[in-house]
Amino acid sequence: MRYVEVRAAKDHFGIYLHTVEDVGSEALLDLDEFPPFDPDDESSEFGQLLGTAEDPLAALVMAEQRTRAERGRWVNENVVQDEYGDFIRAGRPSDAPPDGRPWT
């Protein structure tokens, strides 16, 4: 499973791509607890830095361009577990969710 994080730093915003093993269940929704997809690649454990931007909007645009992230799918850090829970309850479908937007 892949997800993108935009993280604020002192003078910029970092864009990180996380690739983790999908080991979740309704009892385990915290993506931070998932193991890296490739345990032999230490850099994947904390996410791959894709770039930096000076402001939040530029960071979102860069993330969308580099990862095909969907503008309508961005959520706050504490909401991602709810979105992942919806995905789990839907049976991990490969097609679009009920709102019609891609899961990615």
Side-chain angles (χ1 to χ4, degrees):
M1 178 171 61
R2 296 170 17 138
Y3 66 97
V4 180
E5 174 187 13
V6 174
R7 185 183 311 156
K10 275 186 175 181
D11 59 350
H12 68 276
F13 292 82
I15 299 99
Y16 295 87
L17 176 64
H18 300 279
T19 306
V20 296
E21 188 176 344
D22 185 358
V23 297
S25 66
E26 287 198 52
L28 177 61
L29 300 175
D30 187 355
L31 301 181
D32 288 337
E33 299 297 319
F34 292 12
F37 188 73
D38 183 358
D40 294 330
D41 181 5
E42 290 183 26
S43 67
S44 71
E45 186 170 345
F46 299 106
Q48 175 187 4
L49 178 63
L50 299 179
T52 61
E54 293 184 16
D55 65 79
L57 181 57
L60 292 178
V61 169
M62 182 184 295
E64 291 164 353
Q65 291 172 342
R66 294 188 180 182
T67 68
R68 293 183 295 148
E70 290 286 325
R71 177 67 53 113
R73 284 279 180 219
W74 286 105
V75 296
N76 291 332
E77 182 178 10
N78 296 330
V79 178
V80 70
Q81 287 84 1
D82 295 335
E83 292 288 316
Y84 180 68
D86 290 344
F87 177 70
I88 293 291
R89 286 184 286 283
R92 289 184 168 91
S94 59
D95 58 345
D99 64 9
R101 297 182 312 207
W103 290 107
T104 59

